Amino acid sequence: MTILVTGGAGFIGSHATVELLENGYKVVVVDNLSNSQKASIDRIKEMTGKDFAFHQVDLLDSQALDDIFSKYDFSAVMHFAGYKAVGQSVEMPLSYYHNNISGTLTLCEMMLKHNVQKLVFSSSATVYGLPERVPIEESFSLSATNPYGRTKLMIEEILRDLALSNPSIRIAILRYFNPIGAHPSGKLGEDPRGIPNNLIPYITQVAIGKQPELKIFGGDYETNDGTGVRDYIHVMDLVKGHIKALEYLEKHEGVETFNLGTGTGYSVLEIVNSFNDVTGKQIPYQITDRRPGDIGVCYANPEKAKKLLGWQAEKSLKEMCRDSWNWQVQNPDGFTQ
Ligand code: UFG
């Protein structure tokens, strides 16, 4: 079975590509490398000892995508490609709508044209907006607070319409909570360009001395220690959920949505303490104002994925921090050495 992986050079897509190859799937990766590096593709080949085709193609290039769909016989698509920075999406909404939504539309058109019926889509817990309560269930009401979140929400709706219009289409929408960690080998990991927006890459850059201190956004949330709580999930657990979703689509029609989280929330200070333990350093930090648009507490109820996919996250917070740190230490400048 050959799987088309869009965004396969990026953080989650690259780990998913490894997991697919190790589970006996054949893989073709398309990625425009706008926010990732070709080196990750080389690393995957080196780590797995397996070869696969890589095409540097933009999903908006429908002719190039058509050629790829003509060349291979895909049994499913895993769609990771997309812009993902919340702040940037507020500054350049049209780019986000164009890239994320039009890219997905082109991809779906090609799937229909070439009779490819299974799709696993990377959504985000951001579609719950300000959740009514925690833990968050898939049936909760949906909303978005920024253009990035709206692209995820709109794509989810587009996919539901597509499945309604075409009963042979099978779609798994996976809502990620906060993916962190890295491949345990230290060969693959998150490689943000410029100053990181997200907590873990920022902390590891502080720990390695590239940033002076962590700014903790808000110490007055209604949480145990006042700092924001999130459901951090190891990227290796996350990508295992994708394999389970693919297996699920073999047997089930229609569209189904799953939370991929651990079900446990940790505060920013708990994360900092865990990094202190793992690195043997004291991460300097300062508590500052809340970041606009942030919510206080967000964690999943992952029971649906457990029940229907037979999947649950297994790795501990310590393993997540250790693997993130291992990646940072082995690759202080990311993939560009
Ligand atoms: N935080 C800090 N300092 C930083 C960065 C983050 O204190 O320098 C805090 C945030 O306030 C939050 C927590 O660390 O409490 C996690 O923040 P991230 O930026 O790592 O992650 P978010 O939960 O804000 O965002 C993530 C994804 C988004 C997605 C969102 C909701 O990055 O793509 O989850 O699913 F939209």
Side-chain angles (χ1 to χ4, degrees), residues 180-200:
I180 65 168
H183 193 273
S185 66
K187 300 265 183 210
L188 286 181
E190 190 172 4
D191 184 17
R193 292 202 175 160
I195 300 174
N197 297 307
N198 296 116
L199 181 64
I200 304 310

Side-chain angles (χ1 to χ4, degrees), residues 277-305:
D277 287 347
V278 162
T279 61
K281 301 173 188 235
Q282 289 292 311
I283 313 284
Y285 69 83
Q286 192 192 331
I287 297 186
T288 64
D289 289 346
R290 292 181 180 191
R291 182 168 62 179
D294 268 1
I295 58 174
V297 182
C298 176
Y299 58 91
N301 177 337
E303 282 305 310
K304 185 176 173 186

Side-chain angles (χ1 to χ4, degrees), residues 111-304:
M111 288 178 64
L112 290 185
K113 179 171 176 190
H114 295 271
N115 216 15
V116 179
Q117 284 156 346
K118 285 174 275 185
L119 174 68
V120 178
F121 173 62
S122 306
S123 188
S124 163
T126 196
V127 299
Y128 295 113
L130 187 60
E132 50 210 69
R133 58 178 192 278
V134 283
I136 299 171
E137 292 164 23
E138 288 84 351
S139 56
F140 280 19
S141 61
L142 305 178
S143 66
T145 53
N146 57 70
Y148 158 73
R150 247 182 301 282
T151 67
K152 292 292 179 191
L153 196 49
M154 287 176 183
I155 293 168
E156 284 201 5
E157 285 171 354
I158 289 167
L159 296 180
R160 280 188 275 270
D161 285 341
L162 175 63
L164 274 179
S165 73
N166 188 330
S168 57
I169 291 281
R170 298 165 179 226
I171 301 174
I173 294 174
L174 305 181
R175 294 183 181 147
Y176 308 161
F177 281 69
N178 286 57
I180 65 168
H183 193 273
S185 66
K187 300 265 183 210
L188 286 181
E190 190 172 4
D191 184 17
R193 292 202 175 160
I195 300 174
N197 297 307
N198 296 116
L199 181 64
I200 304 310
Y202 204 98
I203 290 185
T204 57
Q205 291 204 5
V206 172
I208 208 168
K210 282 187 155 188
Q211 302 293 339
E213 66 172 7
L214 172 69
K215 289 189 177 51
I216 297 184
F217 300 139
D220 57 352
Y221 286 109
E222 282 186 28
T223 60
N224 282 347
D225 57 27
T227 64
V229 166
R230 295 290 184 277
D231 185 338
Y232 297 93
I233 175 168
H234 197 297
V235 65
M236 295 307 297
D237 277 335
L238 188 81
V239 297
K240 285 186 169 66
H242 290 66
I243 306 287
K244 293 288 191 186
L246 208 50
E247 290 168 7
Y248 179 87
L249 294 183
E250 289 297 322
K251 300 190 201 97
H252 299 87
E253 290 177 346
V255 55
E256 202 65 69
T257 305
F258 299 97
N259 283 342
L260 295 187
T262 65
T264 303
Y266 289 104
S267 74
V268 179
L269 279 175
E270 285 175 310
I271 300 291
V272 170
N273 287 333
S274 180
F275 268 101
N276 288 344
D277 287 347
V278 162
T279 61
K281 301 173 188 235
Q282 289 292 311
I283 313 284
Y285 69 83
Q286 192 192 331
I287 297 186
T288 64
D289 289 346
R290 292 181 180 191
R291 182 168 62 179
D294 268 1
I295 58 174
V297 182
C298 176
Y299 58 91
N301 177 337
E303 282 305 310
K304 185 176 173 186

